[in-house]
Amino acid sequence: STYGGNPLACAIGNAVLDRIQAPGFLEHVEQVGQVLHWHLQQLAQKYPQYVVELRGKGLITGIKITPPVRDFVERLRKDQHLLAVAAGDNVLRLLPPLVITEDDVKEAVGKIADAFAALDSEPGNVPPID
């Protein structure tokens, strides 16, 4: 781009590289990605009527769900104050920042669980029989 190589853009790029190359940063990202995956597996076990498949690697995650994904994204935003995006064939996409913490992951997955629980409590939804 015309402004891609300006001094400010280059300084920002260098700052990002410094952060990524800092000792332990990528290991932290890998660890939090594993925590995210574990919590999502627990979510899938708790709500099998809504979670069809888990996709992704590291912190880039997709959750294929049965409710219409765009409506669910809206529910997360309005009711749970959680930003997510819709992708592909009814996939809820999570793209957290690399500086996310394990507590942030727990909070986010808790909000998704709360949104699923709200779906269960709506008239016309029949909870699964154990």
Side-chain angles (χ1 to χ4, degrees), residues 39-60:
H39 281 286
L40 290 176
Q41 286 176 332
Q42 301 306 305
L43 182 75
Q45 289 176 8
K46 185 173 182 179
Y47 294 102
Q49 70 274 31
Y50 299 128
V51 178
V52 176
E53 178 183 7
L54 298 175
R55 302 174 178 171
K57 182 173 181 169
L59 291 173
I60 300 174

Side-chain angles (χ1 to χ4, degrees), residues 39-100:
H39 281 286
L40 290 176
Q41 286 176 332
Q42 301 306 305
L43 182 75
Q45 289 176 8
K46 185 173 182 179
Y47 294 102
Q49 70 274 31
Y50 299 128
V51 178
V52 176
E53 178 183 7
L54 298 175
R55 302 174 178 171
K57 182 173 181 169
L59 291 173
I60 300 174
T61 305
I63 308 166
K64 186 170 183 180
I65 60 175
T66 55
V69 70
R70 296 197 192 306
D71 295 342
F72 195 73
V73 165
E74 181 72 10
R75 177 185 297 266
L76 287 173
R77 185 183 61 78
K78 287 176 75 175
D79 300 342
Q80 302 297 326
H81 307 287
L82 180 69
L83 295 177
V85 293
D89 56 346
N90 229 42
V91 174
L92 178 68
R93 182 179 291 165
L94 304 177
L95 299 166
L98 297 179
V99 294
I100 193 169

Side-chain angles (χ1 to χ4, degrees), residues 19-20 22-36 58-59 97-105:
R19 181 71 184 253
I20 289 172
F25 182 81
L26 291 178
E27 290 80 5
H28 170 77
V29 171
E30 177 69 28
Q31 177 183 349
V32 175
Q34 290 173 0
V35 169
L36 174 61
L59 291 173
L98 297 179
V99 294
I100 193 169
T101 66
E102 291 183 23
D103 288 339
D104 295 332
V105 166

